[in-house]
């Protein structure tokens, strides 16, 4: 990923930045994680302290409890699909989606100085990153992929192990963080590899963002053609749908919660009409947030 | 899971069973894997040899190359959602879905004889199984979950390590396979924990199954309201939709392939009409198979 440091972005006001020493941004992983790169891209020149969290749910807890002003979580990768855990956590927690960012993901093969492609026997990384670099990894003679809990974390792990037979798949930034060298850059199967992140806060946006998008979640009452009717609400009002995602409802096997992303702010007339028409079809409807569409 | 050994199920004819020494069924994992339990449940009294495969894609390869007559792969869990890799593999390979099975998943905490809840420091299993047992695992004082490549494999691993501080989350059957004892049964967060499996073969079904279901996959041309129109095809023909799943199209960021499960055999008049109406909306439409709905 090449960060465009010159591009400016109008920032939403931080709910706590005026009162505390500095803005704090929580993300899952260790320093050098893609989520941290996404936070820097989103908040541009604004300075912030990082709050690295062990698990995704800790990001939601940190923001809910005020330990961080913002949380940045990945929700979807253009090659491997949605990160469902974060959809579930969006519904379990009461945070608002305040922004989105699409980050070009470029993976590098990192190892200790002194290592080479010939010494590598194991490649550690998050399963999704290993999957995204499957072709390249299988081309390294005698090397096997090994699941690790996250990407930058696998770079940290390699650095700590001090073993020349182990490599990690992570960002170039992670190499600098953990004193590793880049054996090979851009090892992803497909260069059109983007991850979409949500930027979360405890408060809702007070003004209408530019190119607004809204995310909602709802279940469907068990009536014939319910999904067709629900999707039809948006088609009838000529509201553009960006994404439909279904997730299981725990305790109700083979029933689903639908996540919808569509064009428009939640306060707009069209969105209000759509939500009004949708309500009779669902037993639970949640507005997850309105935010500016990412480039 | 309690297997109902008395229940009979009409078996689809095995394409090779009459010519070879015995029927062969491939699945991902080691002996004792939930996929093996699903295969036994599906094929009931019929005897078969197992072909354990390291990865899901190896199951597809084994069936494609004739090393196994059938492949059994999980596609969806009622708590954690779809196993997307297998949806992608269904589209990449040319196998037919010939059956489905819904298996009640009951996880046990397994450890070496001599271990107890007090000795356990690490709990190994597949990330989805750990997630499904999160509440119970976090209640074991001082124990941490550790991702492992599969459930029965983690039981095998614990058995091989010979370490009293390590436990695995796997089936009761896996305990018997690897000489472990059950420290606690039924540790899943939610008892309504089912996994849906597809039974795959190289050949299509020649007769119409009882309570037929059909699975298809298609992309959508970029026209306004395309998803509404596609879903509408089924609503207009009063065809019941069971599931809609979307997956990213590699190389076309933020565009999706839709997987649909609906009532009816592919040869039925209604299905044929639906497919005819769907075709102009898509640039690629694949029939994944027709099969009997599982109880």
């Amino acid at each position: 990923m090449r960060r465009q440091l010159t591009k400016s972005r109008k920032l939403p006001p931080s709910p706590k930045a005026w009162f505390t020493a500095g803005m704090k941004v929580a993300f899952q992983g260790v320093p050098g994680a893609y989520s941290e790169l996404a936070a820097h891209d989103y908040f541009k020149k604004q300075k912030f302290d990082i709050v690295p969290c062990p698990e995704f749910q800790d990001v939601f807890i940190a923001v809910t409890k005020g330990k961080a002003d913002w949380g940045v979580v990945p929700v979807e990768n253009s090659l491997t699909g949605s990160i469902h855990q974060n959809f579930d956590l969006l519904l379990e927690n009461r945070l608002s989606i305040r922004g989105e960012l699409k980050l070009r993901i470029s993976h590098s093969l990192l190892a200790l100085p002194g290592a080479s492609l010939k010494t590598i026997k194991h490649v550690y990384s998050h399963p999704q990153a290993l999957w995204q670099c499957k072709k390249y990894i299988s081309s390294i003679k005698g090397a096997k992929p090994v699941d690790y809990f996250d990407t930058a974390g696998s770079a940290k792990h390699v650095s700590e192990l001090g073993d020349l037979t182990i490599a990690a798949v992570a960002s170039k930034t992670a190499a600098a963080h953990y004193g590793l060298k880049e054996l090979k850059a851009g090892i992803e199967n497909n260069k059109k590899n983007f991850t979409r992140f949500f930027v979360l806060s405890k408060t809702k946006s007070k003004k209408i963002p530019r190119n607004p998008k809204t995310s909602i979640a709802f279940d469907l009452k068990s009536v014939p053609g319910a999904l067709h009717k629900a999707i039809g609400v948006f088609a009838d009002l000529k509201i553009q749908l960006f994404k439909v995602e279904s997730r299981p409802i725990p305790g109700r096997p083979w029933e689903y919660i639908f996540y919808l992303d569509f064009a428009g702010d939640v306060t707009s007339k069209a969105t209000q009409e759509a939500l009004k028409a949708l309500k009779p079809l669902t037993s639970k409807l949640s507005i997850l947030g309105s935010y500016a569409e990412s480039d």
Side-chain angles (χ1 to χ4, degrees), chain A:
Chain A
M1 189 220 41
R2 194 143 158 200
R3 279 169 49 209
Q4 298 162 41
L5 291 168
T6 50
K7 203 176 106 187
S8 77
R9 178 190 294 274
K10 185 111 201 269
L11 291 182
S14 157
K16 287 188 73 186
W18 306 303
F19 309 106
T20 58
M23 188 169 98
K24 290 187 182 71
V25 180
F27 59 86
Q28 186 275 327
V30 295
Y34 288 107
S35 295
E36 187 191 346
L37 304 190
H40 281 293
D41 245 28
Y42 185 82
F43 289 111
K44 289 288 165 215
K45 291 168 187 164
Q46 195 162 344
K47 279 186 185 165
F48 56 83
D49 293 326
I50 59 169
V51 182
C53 297
E55 306 274 351
F56 287 132
Q57 65 171 349
D58 302 317
V59 177
F60 286 81
I61 294 169
V63 179
T64 303
K65 294 200 172 170
K67 287 180 185 169
D69 307 286
W70 302 94
V72 175
V73 292
V75 289
E76 187 184 3
N77 175 271
S78 65
L79 296 179
T80 53
S82 293
I83 294 108
H84 290 110
Q85 207 184 327
N86 285 330
F87 281 91
D88 294 350
L89 287 165
L90 271 170
L91 211 58
E92 285 167 26
N93 294 274
R94 302 282 77 196
L95 302 182
S96 279
I97 306 170
R98 292 286 298 277
E100 73 167 358
L101 184 102
K102 291 168 184 163
L103 184 77
R104 164 82 168 87
I105 302 292
S106 183
H107 294 301
S108 296
L109 187 75
L110 311 179
L112 287 167
S116 76
L117 286 178
K118 285 180 185 163
T119 66
I120 301 305
K121 298 282 167 240
H122 292 98
V123 180
Y124 281 58
S125 199
H126 187 279
Q128 281 223 350
L130 293 173
W131 178 253
Q132 287 169 14
C133 303
K134 213 173 138 187
K135 281 184 199 161
Y136 178 74
I137 295 169
S138 65
S139 78
I140 311 172
K141 221 179 149 185
K144 276 189 176 178
V146 180
D147 288 357
Y148 198 75
F149 74 97
D150 76 2
T151 47
S154 70
K156 187 169 180 256
H157 190 57
V158 167
S159 160
E160 287 163 356
L161 286 174
D163 183 336
L164 298 180
T165 69
I166 301 176
V169 173
S171 69
K172 199 184 180 117
T173 312
H177 266 286
Y178 303 108
L180 301 181
K181 70 169 183 179
E182 201 175 29
L183 291 184
K184 178 91 181 167
I187 60 168
E188 57 277 10
N189 303 343
N190 192 314
K191 301 297 164 198
K192 288 191 176 172
N193 186 351
F194 295 88
T195 294
R196 186 178 165 228
F197 292 84
F198 277 157
V199 180
L200 311 168
S201 93
K202 244 163 92 169
T203 54
K204 283 178 195 159
S205 176
K206 283 190 189 95
K207 43 184 189 174
I208 298 171
R210 158 188 67 82
N211 291 333
K213 270 171 93 169
T214 296
S215 295
I216 61 170
F218 57 89
D219 65 357
L220 284 176
K221 287 184 186 164
S222 171
V223 291
L227 181 60
H228 178 236
K229 282 177 193 158
I231 303 283
V233 161
F234 296 87
D236 292 346
L237 289 160
K238 309 228 179 304
I239 295 175
Q240 191 188 353
L241 285 184
F242 295 107
K243 186 165 193 278
V244 181
E245 183 72 44
S246 63
R247 290 288 299 148
I249 302 180
R252 284 158 62 185
W254 327 120
E255 290 185 49
Y256 305 93
I257 291 166
F258 292 89
Y259 290 82
L260 232 62
D261 295 344
F262 56 86
D265 186 75
V266 73
T267 60
S268 77
K269 206 180 151 223
T271 306
Q272 286 295 321
E273 265 187 60
L275 297 176
K276 202 177 151 191
L278 196 58
K279 233 163 196 170
L281 302 170
T282 82
S283 63
K284 200 182 172 191
L285 171 63
S286 306
I287 317 288
L288 302 174
S290 289
Y291 47 91
E293 189 183 350
S294 165
D295 303 320

